[in-house]
């Protein structure tokens, strides 16, 4: 199974974008001000394994 196009609601867009761009290496491909579309990327579990940190560490920083 593969997750495609998830919709995430975040409380701090700037902080969340910084995380996705710097930690996960994703980039914004569509910007509708309040809504952003990012290119496909890793799940929290994949990011945690790549960063060698607990998955909760990644989830807490996702916004």
């Amino acid at each position: 199974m593969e997750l495609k196009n998830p919709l995430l609601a975040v409380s701090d867009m700037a902080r969340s974008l910084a995380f996705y761009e710097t930690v996960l290496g994703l980039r914004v491909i569509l910007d509708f001000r309040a809504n952003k579309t990012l290119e496909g990327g890793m799940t929290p579990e994949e990011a945690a394994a790549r960063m060698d940190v607990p998955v909760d560490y990644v989830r807490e920083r996702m916004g």
Side-chain angles (χ1 to χ4, degrees), residues 4-29:
K4 296 269 189 184
N5 303 320
L7 171 65
L8 303 174
V10 299
S11 59
D12 186 332
M13 181 66 78
R15 179 175 174 230
S16 296
L17 279 177
F19 172 82
Y20 287 110
E21 292 171 341
T22 60
V23 176
L24 300 182
L26 302 180
R27 63 184 180 90
V28 175
I29 56 174

Side-chain angles (χ1 to χ4, degrees), residues 7 13 17 26 28 30 40-43 49-50 54 56-57 60:
L7 171 65
M13 181 66 78
L17 279 177
L26 302 180
V28 175
L30 293 172
M42 296 179 277
T43 65
R50 181 177 177 184
D56 287 339
Y57 174 86
E60 288 169 5

Side-chain angles (χ1 to χ4, degrees), residues 44-45 47-49 51-61:
E45 292 78 12
M51 296 165 41
D52 196 28
V53 297
V55 71
D56 287 339
Y57 174 86
V58 174
R59 287 187 180 130
E60 288 169 5
R61 282 149 184 82

